[in-house]
Amino acid sequence: MRLSAEDIVKNSEWSEKGYKLPKFDREKMLENTAKNPTWVHFGGGNLFRAFHAALAQDMLDNGYSDKGVIVIEGFDYEIVEKSYRPGDNLTVAITLKANGSIDKNIIGSVSESCILDSKNADEYDRLKQIFTSPSLQMATFTITEKGYVVTGPSGKILPAVQEDIDNGPEHPDTYIGKVASLLYARFKAGQLPIAMVSTDNCSHNGDKLYTAINTIATAWGAIGKADEKFVEYVNDRTKVSFPWSMIDKITPRPDASVEKMLADDGLEGLEPIITSKGTYVAPFVNAEETQYLVIEDAFPNGRPALDKVGVIFTDKETVDKVEKMKVCTCLNPIHTALAVYGCILGYTRISDEMKDEDLLDLVKKIGYVEGLPVVVNPGVLDPKEFIDTVINVRVPNPFMPDTPQRIATDTSQKLPIRFGETIKKYRDNGLDMKALKRIPLVFAGWMRYLMAIDDNGEKMELSSDPMLDKVCPMFANVKLGDTVKAADFETLLKDENIWGVDLYSVGIAELVIEYFNKLISGKGAIRKTVAEMRQQ
């Protein structure tokens, strides 16, 4: 068995070994999509393959569409060259369910894989051809939040983006510059309408995409590199929309145990590839069953029938409520708490942490006791049911190979949203700040984590974080057995960029330090502290 268009049609072993194959006529789909593309997606990573491409397959299998999705990779071209094209743009999607069952699907909805390289004439001409097609309804994105950044901390346009602005739309180098260039081609083809839909896991993602595109469009118009009416086009929501969305599906990197399972089935050519840019890619993806995608319903050229395969379309305000519900209360704070304490307690699997009664109690109380009272119910998803699924199904899933070390990446960037927003709600609503016990414990836990010493007193490696160079030196002289004062960390505790609030102003700085002193009191102090917290 080898992943190819010919093999999945002619080789009966696929069905015999439990692989669900595409039900639709793939050759017809390829023909229809090439003539009248409706959906392109920027970012060919695991989330796209396990979620977006699977949604496209559901539409095709059920007769809701006769066209597939075109994937465009603009960061690491080897993903297309070494993963997509050798396998005829097919993917083996493995769904790992909490009850131990496994679904094996061959995703065949990707009609074409393209490289976003403005210096490659053949590749870029094809992309312009796609982008100037009147049938194109939407472009979706999973390029990470960093992909939309066009200015530095001071607000000045980044040098690489400025170079794209100076050179104009013909041969841009930055990711967002190339997207703006393709949108300009669509503008020149008759100001054709399109929805530009970020589905990256960040707040108000549509605004981030709009700001990036508009910055470049405005600059091009101002210096005569593009028609001045291009700016009007980008800002006309009847022509170009930038809907908000909330996406949620855990898709860890391809796991060795899944690779072995597929190899035991007789599937060849599974070896993961690490590209020259360090991207880890494989012809298969493994993901959880639970998934959510909520999108602002703003599509000036119509949209595929995604509502028939589980996508929720609603207004912008509801998307915002759903996003805040997930990020500030029902999932992300739980993940971060498990990441911090999982690392310092020596765990390597998130699912194993949920067997730890102390940590289970911690995250339950973060979600149900401290977060839920201030969450706004968005209506389209119930917050308590969402937490129930997280606590009882998603995070404990032993077949999901996710690690606290991966989730601990960039924790300094996550704390202000995942916990700071809840603190602000308590403050602004006049609630008793003393009711918050576990959130300060997470803050103290992160400070303890920054010592890079686990609960056994052994050195441990910290996950990457842009603030490590700034915050780690603050703990260089702190040793197990020490007692510190809040004044020793006043600058850190007041830093609203890290916590979302000044911890002194909301009255929890001293409690954070009280917990921190417990956590550094000696070897085993972390376990002792979280165990004691179960009684409070």
Side-chain angles (χ1 to χ4, degrees):
M1 297 164 62
R2 183 169 288 274
L3 194 63
S4 71
E6 181 179 14
D7 202 63
I8 65 169
V9 171
K10 293 184 177 181
N11 190 342
S12 62
E13 283 189 83
W14 291 96
S15 295
E16 291 169 2
K17 293 187 177 179
Y19 290 83
K20 182 181 177 183
L21 301 173
K23 297 177 183 178
F24 56 91
D25 184 333
R26 194 162 187 264
E27 289 301 317
K28 190 67 175 175
M29 179 274 288
L30 295 175
E31 180 184 339
N32 291 340
T33 311
K35 288 180 179 178
N36 296 294
T38 57
W39 181 7
V40 298
H41 182 89
F42 290 91
N46 293 332
L47 181 58
F48 164 74
R49 297 177 110 168
F51 199 170
H52 304 73
L55 290 173
Q57 177 129 320
D58 285 347
M59 288 193 294
L60 286 159
D61 279 345
N62 288 285
Y64 302 138
S65 175
D66 61 358
K67 302 176 189 68
V69 56
I70 299 168
V71 67
I72 304 169
E73 177 53 44
F75 170 71
D76 193 337
Y77 305 153
E78 291 179 54
I79 293 174
V80 169
E81 296 165 340
K82 296 182 178 180
S83 185
Y84 276 93
R85 290 177 180 172
D88 295 329
N89 298 316
L90 299 168
T91 294
V92 182
I94 304 299
T95 303
L96 307 166
K97 300 182 179 181
N99 64 6
S101 64
I102 294 172
D103 284 348
K104 299 182 286 188
N105 292 282
I106 304 302
I107 303 297
S109 60
V110 177
S111 65
E112 192 174 351
S113 54
C114 302
I115 292 172
L116 186 62
D117 183 0
S118 64
K119 292 180 174 59
N120 185 320
D122 290 340
E123 294 284 352
Y124 216 59
D125 286 347
R126 174 56 185 150
L127 286 173
K128 286 183 177 180
Q129 183 182 29
I130 294 167
F131 242 76
T132 55
S133 173
S135 62
L136 187 63
Q137 295 178 321
M138 69 176 188
T140 51
F141 295 77
T142 50
I143 63 174
T144 76
E145 187 169 2
K146 289 179 276 191
Y148 307 111
V149 176
V150 293
T151 58
S154 66
K156 185 178 180 180
I157 293 175
L158 295 173
V161 177
Q162 186 62 53
E163 189 172 341
D164 277 355
I165 290 171
D166 295 340
N167 293 336
E170 290 306 312
H171 298 290
D173 282 330
T174 65
Y175 205 129
I176 208 67
K178 289 180 279 190
V179 174
S181 170
L182 293 176
L183 192 58
Y184 185 55
R186 190 166 181 80
F187 162 79
K188 291 195 295 182
Q191 300 193 31
L192 300 172
I194 189 172
M196 305 288 281
V197 189
S198 171
T199 57
D200 272 295
N201 187 19
C202 54
S203 179
H204 301 174
N205 45 20
D207 285 355
K208 287 179 170 58
L209 176 56
Y210 162 73
T211 297
I213 295 292
N214 187 58
T215 297
I216 294 173
T218 300
W220 278 342
I223 62 175
K225 293 292 185 179
D227 189 321
E228 290 183 2
K229 291 187 177 179
F230 180 45
V231 180
E232 297 177 15
Y233 171 71
V234 168
N235 284 275
D236 184 349
R237 292 299 172 264
T238 68
K239 297 288 181 63
V240 184
S241 66
F242 296 87
W244 292 6
S245 74
M246 188 288 292
I247 191 166
D248 186 18
K249 185 179 180 74
I250 300 172
T251 53
R253 62 184 281 177
D255 188 69
S257 64
V258 175
E259 180 185 350
K260 182 180 184 305
M261 178 190 72
L262 299 178
D264 289 345
D265 281 345
L267 187 54
E268 301 174 3
L270 291 172
E271 297 77 14
I273 298 164
I274 300 177
T275 70
S276 58
K277 288 193 172 183
T279 308
Y280 189 98
V281 294
F284 68 92
V285 291
N286 37 248
E288 66 171 339
E289 180 179 20
T290 304
Q291 60 187 34
Y292 304 94
L293 180 54
V294 183
I295 305 177
E296 176 191 353
D297 199 356
F299 291 80
N301 201 30
R303 57 172 168 78
L306 288 162
D307 54 313
K308 294 185 178 180
V309 292
V311 178
I312 298 171
F313 290 93
T314 184
D315 55 66
K316 178 181 290 188
E317 291 73 20
T318 302
V319 175
D320 189 39
K321 291 176 183 176
V322 171
E323 192 264 338
K324 287 178 178 176
M325 178 199 77
K326 172 205 161 192
V327 173
C328 303
T329 307
C330 298
L331 172 63
N332 296 35
I334 290 169
H335 251 166
T336 291
L338 290 171
V340 169
Y341 277 94
C343 288
I344 53 183
L345 285 171
Y347 281 101
T348 57
R349 290 268 177 145
I350 285 288
S351 58
D352 288 340
E353 291 186 68
M354 296 301 281
K355 301 172 188 174
D356 185 318
E357 292 297 326
D358 298 330
L359 296 181
L360 178 60
D361 181 79
L362 172 65
V363 296
K364 278 185 174 181
K365 287 175 179 171
I366 286 173
Y368 292 117
V369 178
E370 299 188 5
L372 201 55
V374 295
V375 74
V376 175
N377 190 329
V380 295
L381 293 172
D382 180 79
K384 184 179 181 302
E385 291 178 4
F386 196 102
I387 298 180
D388 288 344
T389 304
V390 169
I391 295 290
N392 300 319
V393 178
R394 302 179 68 184
V395 183
N397 186 343
F399 306 99
M400 280 297 295
D402 215 349
T403 70
Q405 290 74 23
R406 183 189 77 84
I407 298 171
T409 301
D410 299 337
T411 298
S412 68
Q413 310 300 292
K414 299 170 180 176
L415 293 172
I417 300 298
R418 299 185 178 191
F419 299 101
E421 292 303 311
T422 293
I423 294 172
K424 290 176 185 177
K425 288 281 185 66
Y426 273 74
R427 177 195 65 193
D428 297 343
N429 294 337
L431 299 177
D432 185 5
M433 202 67 68
K434 292 181 180 179
L436 297 178
K437 302 291 185 185
R438 273 76 192 173
I439 290 176
L441 184 64
V442 175
F443 290 171
W446 184 62
M447 292 171 64
R448 174 65 179 79
Y449 165 88
L450 293 173
M451 293 172 62
I453 299 172
D454 65 19
D455 201 26
N456 295 320
E458 302 293 332
K459 290 184 178 180
M460 67 178 195
E461 183 177 349
L462 301 183
S463 302
S464 62
D465 189 310
M467 294 294 288
L468 290 184
D469 289 343
K470 176 182 177 180
V471 294
C472 284
M474 299 179 185
F475 299 89
N477 296 320
V478 179
K479 303 291 189 297
L480 295 184
D482 287 352
T483 299
V484 304
K485 299 177 182 179
D488 299 333
F489 295 94
E490 183 175 355
T491 301
L492 177 63
L493 296 170
K494 286 179 173 288
D495 194 336
E496 296 184 24
N497 291 322
I498 289 180
W499 314 111
V501 292
D502 175 342
L503 298 187
Y504 278 96
S505 70
V506 295
I508 62 175
E510 294 289 347
L511 180 59
V512 170
I513 293 301
E514 178 185 329
Y515 287 150
F516 180 65
N517 278 323
K518 289 184 178 181
L519 296 172
I520 66 171
S521 61
K523 295 180 182 180
I526 298 169
R527 168 59 62 190
K528 179 181 178 183
T529 301
V530 293
E532 289 175 350
M533 287 297 293
R534 289 178 61 190
Q535 311 306 318
Q536 297 186 27

